[in-house]
Amino acid sequence: MQRIRLRYAKRGPLRFTSHRDFARAFERALRRAAVPIAYSQGFTPHPKISYASAAPTGVGSEAEYLEIGLQAEVDPADLRVALDAALSPGLDVIDAVVATEGSLADRINASRWLIELPEIEPAAAEKAVEAFLAAEEVQVERMTKQGRRSFDARSAVTVFAVSKQSDAPSEGAAAPCAIIDLVVRQVTPAVRPDDVLSGLRVVAGLEPPVPPRVTRLAQGTLTPQGEIVDPLEADREGASIGGR
């Protein structure tokens, strides 16, 4: 059985696609593209698809990952093109590589996020971020499957800064707009961007008047220098298989 690892993006309005909706769309795309997907054994066989750390509904992403098992060998570049064409625009397959040794999930321990806060002055955001970083811990609450839970949002944050870039917020003309660069390590329970924003409200009273726009830019292995290594990098034999 051949294993292929894919990187895909959720862009524009398709960021509101839930993980379950994407899974259904992806299985339909496999059928449309005539991909020789392998199936599990038993009375109710399932296609061999393994997802890694899916982004929350409503969050855009340039770095979602999954692995599929195939009954026959295919060329990863051709597979990427076929699946990308079979999915709706905004659900875009960016990269494909043949899997090597090791687990895809074991190569992901952090994510980098871009957070746009329309109608928030960058100076106000900087003060709130400074207060967050100065705190030893920042307790926030979130409703989970086990009920409302309180946890520390501070310890998972490794990079938290207001960007100096002057780009306008995506798909909007609101001004001012604070743009935040955030890197969060994977911990249990998971700390999400909305938890960190809740932490800004706790420590500094910062509450955006309009919903923030969040995009995952990368996920993978966090280096001591604060960079994130693409989890597909270890699978490459040469140049990357092109995406858009």
Side-chain angles (χ1 to χ4, degrees):
M1 182 180 71
Q2 185 185 41
R3 294 182 300 132
I4 300 288
R5 289 169 179 165
L6 303 171
R7 176 181 176 181
Y8 66 95
K10 293 199 307 177
R11 296 166 171 159
L14 272 298
R15 70 184 184 275
F16 295 105
T17 303
S18 70
H19 175 62
R20 183 172 296 179
D21 288 339
F22 174 80
R24 285 196 289 260
F26 185 71
E27 289 184 24
R28 289 195 297 269
L30 289 170
R31 292 193 291 271
R32 290 194 194 103
V35 176
I37 190 74
Y39 285 82
S40 62
Q41 302 296 315
F43 291 105
T44 56
H46 297 285
K48 291 198 171 183
I49 308 171
S50 176
Y51 296 91
S53 188
T57 304
V59 170
S61 180
E62 294 295 317
E64 300 297 287
Y65 295 90
L66 62 82
E67 181 179 303
I68 58 176
L70 304 179
Q71 297 176 358
E73 290 192 5
V74 302
D75 180 84
D78 292 340
L79 177 66
R80 187 204 72 78
V81 172
L83 285 174
D84 189 52
L87 286 166
S88 299
L91 297 176
D92 303 322
V93 182
I94 300 170
D95 203 354
V97 297
V98 176
T100 57
E101 296 297 323
S103 164
L104 181 59
D106 288 343
R107 300 178 188 172
I108 298 176
N109 63 16
S111 292
R112 181 178 296 275
W113 305 86
L114 178 74
I115 304 176
E116 298 168 336
L117 302 177
E119 300 184 28
I120 295 290
E121 291 283 354
E126 283 184 359
K127 289 182 180 179
V129 167
E130 288 172 1
F132 183 98
L133 293 175
E136 290 188 5
E137 66 175 31
V138 179
Q139 290 292 320
V140 299
E141 289 188 347
R142 189 209 308 154
M143 184 61 70
T144 68
K145 293 179 180 179
Q146 291 75 37
R148 185 163 293 278
R149 185 168 183 179
S150 177
F151 56 93
D152 176 27
R154 172 64 185 90
S155 59
V157 174
T158 64
V159 174
F160 197 17
V162 177
S163 172
K164 301 301 181 183
Q165 68 187 51
S166 58
D167 295 349
S170 52
E171 297 185 9
C177 178
I179 300 175
I180 291 177
D181 178 30
L182 173 69
V183 175
V184 179
R185 292 184 296 105
Q186 283 193 351
V187 294
T188 303
V191 174
R192 307 182 309 203
D194 56 317
D195 299 320
V196 177
L197 292 175
S198 294
L200 293 183
R201 184 174 63 250
V202 169
V203 300
L206 184 74
E207 190 159 5
V210 298
R213 183 180 176 87
V214 180
T215 304
R216 172 147 58 190
L217 299 181
Q219 60 173 324
T221 303
L222 184 66
T223 70
Q225 294 74 34
E227 298 299 320
I228 293 181
V229 178
D230 183 347
L232 302 188
E233 199 62 38
D235 297 311
R236 304 183 198 282
E237 294 181 353
S240 66
I241 297 164
R244 357 185 235 208

